Amino acid sequence: MSSLRVVLVCHGATRATRSAGFPLDEPLLPTAITGAGPGFGHVDSALRGPTLRCLQTAEALGLDAEPDERLRDLDHGDWSGRALDEVAAADPAGMARWLTDPESAPHGGESLAELARRVGGWLDDRSPGAARTVAVTHPAVVRAAIGHALGAGPAAFWRVDVAPLSRTTLRGGPGRWTLRWIVRGTG
């Protein structure tokens, strides 16, 4: 079986990424794509999360990327649109649970464990016909994919930093992914 390559590109900077907030479907900052780096070479499949920030990033990088619902951001439920500090002050117990228990979803949205299952399923569903995939997505999705590739699952989620416009390359296939490299973005 031939090896697949998946390049996960984190979307460009937004107001929420710059202010440590839980995002809504917000646009990129005006300077978000400055210094985006070189192209991708041959691409068999270009995909993106369904949000505006993923669409804008893909377009700025010259990718005609199809939206894929499994590349959507983590659903932060009631915390969406709020600052991290604001949520921590209003719900310290909920924040503590969210940071320590991957199955917890005190915000009423998606747990980190649910995110990990969704992203791991997406990664393992990559088709051999699309040997070289580029996907523009969210920091949470990239973290979950790295955890899946390393066999660490959602417990590794908080151990990975993902900067805007960073590129994470995974190689392999279902059940045998490896982290090839991470190219730092602009964040």
Side-chain angles (χ1 to χ4, degrees):
M1 174 185 251
S2 65
S3 184
L4 304 176
R5 183 179 85 166
V6 174
V7 178
L8 300 165
V9 180
C10 182
H11 64 71
T14 66
R15 184 184 56 78
T17 59
R18 291 289 187 237
S19 66
F22 297 100
L24 295 168
D25 191 5
E26 59 189 8
L28 298 177
L29 293 173
T31 59
I33 303 294
T34 304
F40 298 96
H42 174 75
V43 175
D44 293 313
S45 176
L47 304 169
R48 65 173 174 81
T51 58
L52 176 61
R53 57 194 177 271
C54 289
L55 170 63
Q56 290 176 328
T57 301
E59 287 177 344
L61 295 173
L63 295 169
D64 183 18
E66 294 288 323
D68 187 318
E69 184 62 27
R70 291 195 293 177
L71 293 173
R72 72 185 181 281
D73 200 0
L74 175 68
D75 178 358
H76 294 104
D78 296 336
W79 295 354
S80 296
R82 299 172 64 192
L84 180 67
D85 291 344
E86 173 192 348
V87 171
D91 186 7
M95 180 64 70
R97 274 194 327 276
W98 185 63
L99 293 171
T100 58
D101 178 5
E103 294 289 344
S104 176
H107 43 60
E110 186 176 26
S111 73
L112 297 179
E114 290 168 328
L115 171 73
R117 287 187 287 274
R118 170 171 47 96
V119 174
W122 174 85
L123 195 56
D124 286 343
D125 284 348
R126 296 302 85 222
S127 167
R132 297 170 64 96
T133 298
V134 175
V136 178
T137 189
H138 306 273
V141 172
V142 176
R143 287 174 166 176
I146 291 171
H148 181 75
L150 298 178
F157 188 84
W158 300 116
R159 304 254 181 220
V160 179
D161 284 332
V162 178
L165 298 179
S166 61
R167 298 177 185 199
T168 301
T169 302
L170 305 175
R171 284 194 168 248
R176 59 182 184 85
W177 291 102
T178 59
L179 175 62
R180 178 75 178 196
W181 61 71
I182 300 173
V183 177
R184 186 169 173 10
T186 60

